[in-house]
Coordinates of all heavy atoms in Angstrom, one line a residue:
A11 N -2.8 20.5 -4.6 CA -1.7 20.2 -5.5 C -1.9 21.0 -6.8 O -0.9 21.5 -7.3 CB -1.7 18.7 -5.8
A12 N -3.1 21.2 -7.3 CA -3.3 22.0 -8.5 C -2.8 23.4 -8.3 O -2.2 24.0 -9.1 CB -4.8 21.9 -8.9
I13 N -3.2 24.0 -7.1 CA -2.7 25.3 -6.8 C -1.2 25.4 -6.8 O -0.6 26.3 -7.3 CB -3.4 25.8 -5.5 CG1 -4.9 26.0 -5.7 CG2 -2.7 27.1 -5.0 CD1 -5.6 26.2 -4.4
G14 N -0.6 24.4 -6.1 CA 0.9 24.4 -6.0 C 1.5 24.2 -7.4 O 2.5 24.9 -7.7
F15 N 1.0 23.4 -8.2 CA 1.6 23.2 -9.6 C 1.4 24.5 -10.4 O 2.4 24.9 -11.1 CB 0.8 22.1 -10.3 CG 1.4 20.7 -10.1 CD1 1.7 20.3 -8.8 CD2 1.6 19.8 -11.1 CE1 2.2 19.0 -8.5 CE2 2.0 18.5 -10.9 CZ 2.3 18.1 -9.6
V16 N 0.3 25.1 -10.4 CA 0.0 26.4 -11.1 C 1.0 27.5 -10.7 O 1.6 28.2 -11.5 CB -1.4 26.8 -11.1 CG1 -1.7 28.2 -11.7 CG2 -2.3 25.8 -11.8
V17 N 1.1 27.7 -9.3 CA 1.9 28.7 -8.8 C 3.4 28.5 -9.2 O 4.1 29.4 -9.6 CB 1.8 28.9 -7.3 CG1 2.8 29.7 -6.7 CG2 0.4 29.4 -6.9
A18 N 3.8 27.2 -9.1 CA 5.2 26.9 -9.4 C 5.5 27.1 -10.9 O 6.5 27.7 -11.3 CB 5.5 25.4 -9.1
A19 N 4.5 26.8 -11.7 CA 4.7 27.0 -13.2 C 4.7 28.5 -13.5 O 5.5 28.9 -14.4 CB 3.5 26.3 -14.0
L20 N 3.9 29.3 -12.8 CA 3.9 30.7 -13.1 C 5.2 31.3 -12.6 O 5.8 32.2 -13.3 CB 2.7 31.4 -12.4 CG 1.3 31.1 -13.0 CD1 0.2 31.6 -12.1 CD2 1.2 31.6 -14.4
V21 N 5.7 30.9 -11.5 CA 6.9 31.5 -10.9 C 8.2 31.0 -11.7 O 9.1 31.8 -12.0 CB 7.1 31.1 -9.4 CG1 8.5 31.5 -8.9 CG2 6.0 31.8 -8.6
L22 N 8.2 29.8 -12.1 CA 9.4 29.2 -12.7 C 9.4 29.4 -14.3 O 10.4 29.1 -14.9 CB 9.6 27.7 -12.4 CG 9.7 27.5 -10.9 CD1 9.7 26.0 -10.6 CD2 11.0 28.1 -10.4
G23 N 8.3 29.8 -14.8 CA 8.3 30.1 -16.3 C 8.5 28.9 -17.2 O 7.9 27.9 -17.0
E24 N 9.4 29.1 -18.1 CA 9.6 28.1 -19.2 C 10.2 26.8 -18.7 O 10.2 25.8 -19.4 CB 10.5 28.7 -20.3 CG 9.8 29.8 -21.0 CD 10.7 30.4 -22.1 OE1 11.8 29.9 -22.3 OE2 10.3 31.4 -22.7
D25 N 10.9 26.9 -17.5 CA 11.6 25.7 -17.0 C 10.6 24.6 -16.4 O 11.0 23.5 -16.2 CB 12.6 26.0 -16.0 CG 13.8 26.8 -16.6 OD1 14.0 26.6 -17.8 OD2 14.5 27.6 -15.9
M26 N 9.4 25.0 -16.1 CA 8.4 24.1 -15.6 C 7.1 24.3 -16.5 O 6.5 25.4 -16.6 CB 8.0 24.4 -14.2 CG 7.0 23.4 -13.6 SD 6.8 23.6 -11.9 CE 5.5 22.4 -11.6
D27 N 6.8 23.2 -17.2 CA 5.7 23.3 -18.1 C 4.5 22.3 -17.7 O 4.8 21.2 -17.4 CB 6.2 22.9 -19.5 CG 5.1 23.0 -20.6 OD1 4.4 24.0 -20.6 OD2 5.0 22.0 -21.4
L28 N 3.3 22.9 -17.7 CA 2.1 22.1 -17.5 C 1.3 22.1 -18.8 O 1.1 23.1 -19.4 CB 1.3 22.7 -16.4 CG 2.0 22.9 -15.0 CD1 1.1 23.7 -14.1 CD2 2.3 21.6 -14.4
S29 N 0.8 20.9 -19.2 CA 0.1 20.9 -20.4 C -1.3 20.3 -20.3 O -1.4 19.1 -19.9 CB 0.9 20.1 -21.5 OG 1.2 18.8 -21.0
G30 N -2.3 21.1 -20.6 CA -3.7 20.7 -20.8 C -4.2 19.6 -19.9 O -4.1 19.7 -18.7
T31 N -4.9 18.7 -20.5 CA -5.6 17.7 -19.8 C -4.7 16.7 -19.1 O -5.0 16.1 -18.1 CB -6.6 16.9 -20.7 OG1 -5.9 16.3 -21.8 CG2 -7.7 17.7 -21.2
A32 N -3.5 16.6 -19.6 CA -2.5 15.7 -19.0 C -2.1 16.3 -17.6 O -1.6 15.6 -16.8 CB -1.3 15.6 -19.9
F33 N -2.3 17.6 -17.5 CA -2.0 18.3 -16.2 C -2.9 17.7 -15.1 O -2.5 17.4 -14.0 CB -2.3 19.8 -16.4 CG -2.5 20.5 -15.1 CD1 -1.4 20.7 -14.2 CD2 -3.7 21.1 -14.8 CE1 -1.6 21.4 -13.0 CE2 -3.8 21.8 -13.6 CZ -2.8 22.0 -12.7
L34 N -4.2 17.4 -15.4 CA -5.1 16.8 -14.5 C -4.7 15.4 -14.1 O -4.7 15.0 -12.9 CB -6.5 16.8 -15.0 CG -7.1 18.2 -15.4 CD1 -8.5 18.0 -16.0 CD2 -7.3 19.0 -14.1
I35 N -4.2 14.7 -15.0 CA -3.7 13.3 -14.7 C -2.4 13.4 -13.9 O -2.2 12.7 -12.9 CB -3.4 12.5 -16.0 CG1 -4.7 12.3 -16.8 CG2 -2.7 11.2 -15.8 CD1 -4.5 11.8 -18.2
A36 N -1.6 14.4 -14.2 CA -0.3 14.6 -13.4 C -0.7 14.9 -11.9 O 0.0 14.4 -11.0 CB 0.5 15.7 -14.0
I37 N -1.7 15.7 -11.7 CA -2.1 16.1 -10.4 C -2.6 14.8 -9.6 O -2.2 14.6 -8.5 CB -3.2 17.2 -10.4 CG1 -2.5 18.5 -10.8 CG2 -3.8 17.3 -9.0 CD1 -3.5 19.6 -11.0
G38 N -3.4 14.0 -10.3 CA -3.9 12.8 -9.7 C -2.7 11.8 -9.3 O -2.7 11.3 -8.2
I39 N -1.8 11.7 -10.2 CA -0.6 10.9 -10.0 C 0.2 11.4 -8.8 O 0.6 10.7 -7.9 CB 0.3 10.8 -11.2 CG1 -0.4 10.0 -12.3 CG2 1.6 10.1 -10.9 CD1 0.3 10.1 -13.7
F40 N 0.4 12.8 -8.8 CA 1.2 13.4 -7.7 C 0.5 13.2 -6.3 O 1.1 12.8 -5.4 CB 1.3 14.9 -8.0 CG 2.0 15.7 -6.9 CD1 3.4 15.7 -6.8 CD2 1.2 16.4 -5.9 CE1 4.0 16.4 -5.8 CE2 1.9 17.1 -4.9 CZ 3.2 17.1 -4.9
V41 N -0.8 13.4 -6.3 CA -1.5 13.2 -5.0 C -1.5 11.8 -4.5 O -1.3 11.5 -3.3 CB -3.0 13.7 -5.1 CG1 -3.8 13.4 -3.9 CG2 -3.0 15.2 -5.3
A42 N -1.7 10.8 -5.5 CA -1.6 9.4 -5.1 C -0.2 9.0 -4.6 O -0.1 8.3 -3.6 CB -2.0 8.5 -6.3
L43 N 0.8 9.5 -5.3 CA 2.2 9.2 -4.9 C 2.5 9.8 -3.5 O 3.1 9.2 -2.7 CB 3.2 9.7 -5.9 CG 3.3 8.9 -7.2 CD1 4.1 9.6 -8.2 CD2 3.8 7.5 -6.9
T44 N 2.0 11.0 -3.3 CA 2.2 11.7 -2.0 C 1.6 10.9 -0.9 O 2.2 10.7 0.2 CB 1.7 13.1 -2.0 OG1 2.3 13.8 -3.1 CG2 1.9 13.8 -0.7
A45 N 0.4 10.4 -1.1 CA -0.3 9.7 -0.1 C 0.4 8.3 0.2 O 0.4 7.9 1.4 CB -1.8 9.4 -0.5
V46 N 1.0 7.7 -0.8 CA 1.6 6.4 -0.6 C 3.1 6.6 -0.1 O 3.5 5.9 0.8 CB 1.7 5.7 -2.0 CG1 2.6 4.4 -1.9 CG2 0.3 5.3 -2.4
L47 N 3.8 7.6 -0.5 CA 5.2 7.7 -0.2 C 5.4 8.3 1.2 O 6.4 7.9 1.9 CB 5.9 8.6 -1.2 CG 6.1 8.0 -2.6 CD1 6.7 9.1 -3.5 CD2 7.1 6.8 -2.5
E48 N 4.6 9.2 1.6 CA 4.9 10.0 2.9 C 5.0 9.0 4.1 O 5.9 9.1 4.9 CB 3.9 11.1 3.1 CG 4.3 11.9 4.3 CD 3.8 13.4 4.2 OE1 2.9 13.6 3.4 OE2 4.4 14.2 4.9
P49 N 4.0 8.1 4.3 CA 4.2 7.2 5.5 C 5.5 6.4 5.5 O 6.1 6.2 6.5 CB 2.9 6.3 5.4 CG 2.0 7.0 4.5 CD 2.8 7.8 3.6
F50 N 5.9 5.9 4.3 CA 7.1 5.1 4.2 C 8.3 6.0 4.5 O 9.2 5.6 5.2 CB 7.3 4.5 2.8 CG 6.3 3.4 2.5 CD1 5.3 3.6 1.5 CD2 6.3 2.3 3.2 CE1 4.4 2.6 1.3 CE2 5.4 1.2 3.0 CZ 4.4 1.4 2.0
I51 N 8.4 7.2 4.0 CA 9.5 8.1 4.3 C 9.5 8.5 5.8 O 10.6 8.5 6.4 CB 9.4 9.3 3.4 CG1 9.7 8.9 1.9 CG2 10.5 10.4 3.8 CD1 9.4 10.0 0.9
E52 N 8.4 8.8 6.3 CA 8.4 9.1 7.8 C 8.8 7.9 8.6 O 9.6 8.0 9.6 CB 7.0 9.5 8.2 CG 6.6 10.9 7.8 CD 5.2 11.3 8.3 OE1 4.6 10.6 9.1 OE2 4.8 12.4 7.8
K53 N 8.4 6.7 8.3 CA 8.8 5.5 9.0 C 10.3 5.3 8.9 O 10.9 5.0 9.9 CB 8.0 4.3 8.5 CG 8.3 3.0 9.3 CD 7.5 1.8 8.9 CE 7.9 0.6 9.7 NZ 7.1 -0.5 9.3
F54 N 10.8 5.4 7.7 CA 12.2 5.2 7.5 C 13.0 6.2 8.3 O 14.0 5.9 8.9 CB 12.6 5.4 6.0 CG 14.0 5.2 5.7 CD1 14.6 4.0 5.6 CD2 14.8 6.4 5.5 CE1 16.0 3.9 5.3 CE2 16.2 6.2 5.3 CZ 16.8 5.0 5.2
G55 N 12.5 7.5 8.3 CA 13.2 8.5 9.0 C 13.2 8.3 10.5 O 14.2 8.5 11.2
N56 N 12.0 7.8 11.0 CA 11.9 7.5 12.5 C 12.8 6.4 12.9 O 13.4 6.4 14.0 CB 10.5 7.2 12.8 CG 9.6 8.4 12.8 OD1 10.0 9.5 12.9 ND2 8.3 8.2 12.6
E57 N 13.0 5.4 12.0 CA 13.8 4.2 12.3 C 15.3 4.5 12.1 O 16.1 3.9 12.9 CB 13.4 3.0 11.5 CG 12.0 2.5 11.9 CD 11.6 1.4 10.9 OE1 12.3 1.0 10.0 OE2 10.5 0.9 11.2
H58 N 15.7 5.3 11.1 CA 17.1 5.4 10.8 C 17.7 6.8 11.0 O 18.7 6.9 11.6 CB 17.3 4.9 9.3 CG 16.9 3.5 9.1 ND1 17.6 2.4 9.5 CD2 15.8 3.0 8.4 CE1 16.9 1.3 9.2 NE2 15.9 1.7 8.5
L59 N 17.1 7.8 10.4 CA 17.6 9.1 10.5 C 16.5 10.1 10.8 O 15.6 10.4 10.0 CB 18.2 9.6 9.1 CG 19.5 8.9 8.7 CD1 19.8 9.2 7.2 CD2 20.6 9.2 9.6
P60 N 16.5 10.6 12.0 CA 15.4 11.6 12.4 C 15.3 12.8 11.6 O 14.2 13.3 11.4 CB 15.9 12.0 13.9 CG 16.7 10.9 14.3 CD 17.4 10.3 13.1
I61 N 16.4 13.3 11.0 CA 16.3 14.4 10.1 C 15.4 14.2 8.9 O 14.8 15.1 8.4 CB 17.7 14.9 9.7 CG1 17.7 16.3 9.0 CG2 18.4 13.9 8.7 CD1 17.5 17.4 10.0
I62 N 15.4 12.9 8.4 CA 14.5 12.6 7.3 C 13.0 12.7 7.7 O 12.2 13.2 6.9 CB 14.8 11.2 6.8 CG1 16.2 11.2 6.1 CG2 13.7 10.7 5.8 CD1 16.6 9.8 5.6
S63 N 12.7 12.3 8.9 CA 11.3 12.5 9.3 C 10.9 13.9 9.4 O 9.7 14.3 9.2 CB 11.0 11.7 10.6 OG 11.8 12.2 11.6
I64 N 11.8 14.8 9.8 CA 11.5 16.2 9.8 C 11.2 16.8 8.4 O 10.3 17.5 8.2 CB 12.7 17.0 10.5 CG1 12.8 16.6 12.0 CG2 12.5 18.5 10.4 CD1 14.1 17.1 12.6
A65 N 12.0 16.3 7.5 CA 11.9 16.8 6.1 C 11.1 15.9 5.2 O 11.1 16.0 4.0 CB 13.3 17.0 5.5
S66 N 10.3 15.0 5.8 CA 9.6 14.0 5.0 C 8.6 14.6 4.0 O 8.5 14.1 2.9 CB 8.8 13.0 5.9 OG 7.8 13.7 6.6
S67 N 8.0 15.7 4.3 CA 7.1 16.3 3.4 C 7.8 16.8 2.1 O 7.3 16.7 1.0 CB 6.3 17.4 4.0 OG 5.4 16.9 5.0
L68 N 9.0 17.5 2.4 CA 9.7 18.0 1.3 C 10.3 16.8 0.4 O 10.2 16.9 -0.8 CB 10.9 18.8 1.8 CG 10.6 20.3 2.1 CD1 11.8 20.9 2.8 CD2 10.2 21.0 0.9
I69 N 10.8 15.8 1.1 CA 11.3 14.6 0.3 C 10.2 14.0 -0.5 O 10.3 13.6 -1.6 CB 12.0 13.6 1.3 CG1 13.2 14.3 1.9 CG2 12.3 12.3 0.6 CD1 13.8 13.5 3.1
T70 N 9.0 13.8 0.2 CA 7.8 13.2 -0.5 C 7.5 14.1 -1.7 O 7.2 13.5 -2.8 CB 6.7 13.1 0.4 OG1 7.0 12.3 1.5 CG2 5.4 12.6 -0.2
T71 N 7.4 15.4 -1.6 CA 7.1 16.3 -2.7 C 8.1 16.1 -3.8 O 7.6 16.0 -5.0 CB 7.0 17.8 -2.2 OG1 6.1 17.9 -1.2 CG2 6.6 18.7 -3.3
F72 N 9.4 16.1 -3.5 CA 10.4 15.9 -4.6 C 10.2 14.6 -5.3 O 10.2 14.5 -6.5 CB 11.8 16.0 -4.0 CG 12.8 15.7 -5.0 CD1 13.2 16.6 -6.0 CD2 13.5 14.4 -5.0 CE1 14.1 16.2 -7.0 CE2 14.4 14.1 -5.9 CZ 14.7 15.0 -6.9
L73 N 10.1 13.5 -4.5 CA 9.9 12.2 -5.2 C 8.6 12.1 -6.0 O 8.6 11.5 -7.1 CB 10.0 11.1 -4.1 CG 11.3 10.9 -3.4 CD1 11.2 9.8 -2.3 CD2 12.4 10.4 -4.5

Side-chain angles (χ1 to χ4, degrees):
I13 291 169
F15 274 45
V16 169
V17 169
L20 290 173
V21 170
L22 298 172
E24 294 177 6
D25 291 335
M26 182 172 174
D27 182 46
L28 302 173
S29 59
T31 56
F33 163 69
L34 298 175
I35 295 168
I37 290 173
I39 293 169
F40 176 82
V41 169
L43 286 169
T44 303
V46 170
L47 290 173
E48 188 151 20
F50 290 115
I51 292 170
E52 283 182 10
K53 183 177 180 181
F54 179 81
N56 289 335
E57 292 175 359
H58 301 289
L59 292 170
I61 192 75
I62 289 177
S63 62
I64 293 169
S66 66
S67 293
L68 279 170
I69 295 168
T70 301
T71 301
F72 172 75
L73 291 174

